[in-house]
Amino acid sequence: LAATARKRLAELDCPGAKVLELDPLAGPTPGGPFNAIALNGSLPNAEMLAPLEQQLAVGGRLFCIVGEAPVMKALLVTRLGPRGFRRETLFETSTSPLVEAPPAQTFVF
């Protein structure tokens, strides 16, 4: 995905755009805040999005998939201000989890 994105950005002559391949759960990423973040795997729940949301610039967008198979939600998160975010559900889907994503916690008696 990253190679394709780099190629397309070069074709579109977008010199200010950068494509980074990073572990989104490893903590703050140097070079932020970012105008766009896209995850290529799912997270077990939306509570895990908070660290990623904090890396968005005002007006920045985050595309992610959250939930557990067989039904997950594709979300678009937009940063509205220093503390404000809007989360929109785009569609239902199912995909593999991010490699470093912790498993979803389940209820245990």
Side-chain angles (χ1 to χ4, degrees), residues 33-37 52-53 55-63 76-81 84-86 88:
F34 300 101
N35 293 318
I37 300 173
L52 296 169
E53 291 173 334
Q55 296 186 62
L56 288 172
V58 174
R61 295 166 293 159
L62 164 65
F63 173 79
L76 178 63
V77 180
T78 304
R79 186 165 199 163
L80 304 174
F85 298 91
R86 178 179 59 233
E88 300 173 74

Side-chain angles (χ1 to χ4, degrees), residues 1 4 28 40 45 51 69 82 84 103:
L1 291 175
T4 300
N40 66 347
N45 58 59

Side-chain angles (χ1 to χ4, degrees), residues 63-66 72-76 88-93:
F63 173 79
C64 56
I65 297 172
V66 297
M72 301 176 182
K73 294 188 278 187
L75 297 177
L76 178 63
E88 300 173 74
T89 299
L90 303 175
F91 52 87
E92 291 183 347
T93 188

Side-chain angles (χ1 to χ4, degrees):
L1 291 175
T4 300
R6 285 186 188 99
K7 181 180 175 191
R8 295 244 170 106
L9 289 169
E11 291 169 355
L12 295 170
D13 191 29
C14 297
K18 295 178 186 175
V19 177
L20 303 175
E21 297 175 76
L22 304 165
D23 177 356
L25 304 176
T29 302
F34 300 101
N35 293 318
I37 300 173
L39 303 183
N40 66 347
S42 66
L43 293 171
N45 58 59
E47 288 76 32
M48 296 183 73
L49 296 177
L52 296 169
E53 291 173 334
Q54 295 306 315
Q55 296 186 62
L56 288 172
V58 174
R61 295 166 293 159
L62 164 65
F63 173 79
C64 56
I65 297 172
V66 297
E68 296 181 63
V71 179
M72 301 176 182
K73 294 188 278 187
L75 297 177
L76 178 63
V77 180
T78 304
R79 186 165 199 163
L80 304 174
R83 294 188 189 106
F85 298 91
R86 178 179 59 233
R87 291 183 180 177
E88 300 173 74
T89 299
L90 303 175
F91 52 87
E92 291 183 347
T93 188
S94 186
T95 191
S96 301
L98 285 172
V99 173
E100 299 296 328
Q105 293 187 355
T106 57
F107 180 77
V108 178
F109 284 100

